[in-house]
């Protein structure tokens, strides 16, 4: 059962543009929503994360927007650069003892073209 | 600082052969440990996780098994590999507590031929 749905599967954005990746979840018990960035042949690494008590979190060019009522969250990459080309995964977790699983979306392959 | 080691980086094995992938974590104690498999178009599929020595939870029925013989060691095994076991295997660890980050190893690219 897929509990986190991610779209699009692939995305091509011109350099300097805005990249937007969307995720939707089903389990209302989720309370931790990270985004991971993965380069080819490497393991994913945490990019930015949000908790549902805020609607937006920004770190540099990366912003998470969170809509609790719609059970959706998205990653926005401003001024996209070729170095941002990677696969991005959203994830969700229930952050209390006894619930250690991190559920991932299916990933978005982002390509930034010059 | 904490580090996670996973090996080998690449592996080519014949169908029916055994498998052993090892993952170790340094710089932390009692981590939560995970094995994920990554296949094209399917994202990161959680295979096993462990919250302590000897404690293994399996997420999907399959040809694989996991063991945690020591606090910071996590092993993924198979007695007889299938073609469908090919993929990119990732080990990860998380600490306890709210919103803790998962740290991934560099992965093992397994090709079963």
């Amino acid at each position: 059962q897929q509990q986190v749905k991610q779209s699009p599967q692939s995305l091509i954005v011109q350099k300097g543009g805005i990249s937007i990746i969307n995720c939707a979840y089903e389990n209302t018990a989720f309370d931790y929503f990270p985004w991971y960035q993965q380069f080819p042949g490497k393991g994913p690494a945490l990019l930015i994360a949000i908790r549902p008590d805020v609607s937006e979190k920004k770190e540099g060019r990366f912003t998470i927007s969170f809509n609790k009522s719609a059970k959706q969250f998205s990653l926005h990459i401003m001024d996209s650069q070729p170095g941002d080309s990677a696969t991005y995964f959203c994830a969700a977790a229930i952050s209390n003892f006894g619930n250690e699983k991190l559920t991932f979306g299916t990933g978005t392959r982002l390509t930034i073209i010059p | 600082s904490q580090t996670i080691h996973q090996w080998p980086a690449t592996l080519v094995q014949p169908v029916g052969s055994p498998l052993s992938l090892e993952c170790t974590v340094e710089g932390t104690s009692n981590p939560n440990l995970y094995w994920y498999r990554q296949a094209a178009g399917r994202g990161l599929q959680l295979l096993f996780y462990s919250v302590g020595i000897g404690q293994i939870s399996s997420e999907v029925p399959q040809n694989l098994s996991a063991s945690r013989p020591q606090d910071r060691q996590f092993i993924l095994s198979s007695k007889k590999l299938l073609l469908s076991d090919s993929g990119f295997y990732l080990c990860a660890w998380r600490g306890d507590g709210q919103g803790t980050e998962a740290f991934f190893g560099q992965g093992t690219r397994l090709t079963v031929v």
Side-chain angles (χ1 to χ4, degrees):
Chain A
Q1 178 185 6
Q2 182 185 358
Q3 295 189 41
V4 180
K5 295 182 180 181
Q6 183 172 347
S7 62
Q9 187 173 4
S10 63
L11 181 62
I12 299 175
V13 175
Q14 205 154 17
K15 179 182 175 182
I18 303 174
S19 303
I20 302 174
I21 304 170
N22 300 298
C23 283
Y25 62 97
E26 299 169 3
N27 190 344
T28 56
F30 286 142
D31 61 358
Y32 172 63
F33 302 90
W35 284 89
Y36 282 79
Q37 180 187 54
Q38 184 183 30
F39 294 104
K42 303 294 183 183
L46 181 68
L47 185 63
I48 186 172
I50 197 169
R51 299 185 62 80
D53 52 348
V54 297
S55 60
E56 185 175 283
K57 182 174 181 180
K58 184 176 181 179
E59 291 184 2
R61 296 184 294 108
F62 301 91
T63 300
I64 299 179
S65 297
F66 186 83
N67 186 329
K68 188 174 181 178
S69 61
K71 293 186 288 185
Q72 296 175 348
F73 59 109
S74 60
L75 176 69
H76 295 234
I77 305 175
M78 311 299 288
D79 187 26
S80 299
Q81 299 297 311
D84 296 330
S85 297
T87 299
Y88 292 81
F89 293 95
C90 63
I94 305 168
S95 55
N96 62 307
F97 292 111
N99 285 283
E100 289 78 15
K101 294 185 291 183
L102 198 59
T103 302
F104 285 87
T106 52
T108 297
R109 179 174 291 183
L110 173 65
T111 304
I112 308 300
I113 55 176
Chain B
S1 62
Q2 302 92 349
T3 56
I4 180 169
H5 302 280
Q6 186 181 342
W7 67 93
T10 59
L11 191 59
V12 180
Q13 292 284 96
V15 169
S17 64
L19 173 73
S20 181
L21 302 181
E22 188 164 343
C23 173
T24 59
V25 180
E26 297 178 356
T28 187
S29 59
N30 196 32
N32 298 313
L33 296 172
Y34 307 83
W35 279 110
Y36 286 88
R37 177 167 59 200
Q38 185 173 18
R42 294 190 62 185
L44 293 162
Q45 180 186 31
L46 180 61
L47 302 176
F48 301 95
Y49 70 97
S50 171
V51 300
I53 296 174
Q55 300 180 52
I56 307 294
S57 296
S58 175
E59 286 297 294
V60 293
Q62 57 202 318
N63 185 43
L64 302 169
S65 62
S67 62
R68 185 170 178 174
Q70 300 180 39
D71 180 44
R72 290 169 291 177
Q73 184 185 29
F74 205 23
I75 298 172
L76 182 69
S77 303
S78 173
K79 292 183 179 178
K80 289 185 178 181
L81 284 169
L82 305 172
L83 287 174
S84 59
D85 291 324
S86 295
F88 191 50
Y89 289 83
L90 289 157
C91 179
W93 76 271
R94 288 178 79 196
D96 284 328
Q98 294 188 350
T100 54
E101 177 180 355
F103 296 90
F104 285 84
Q106 292 299 292
T108 296
R109 174 72 62 189
L110 171 65
T111 304
V112 182
V113 296

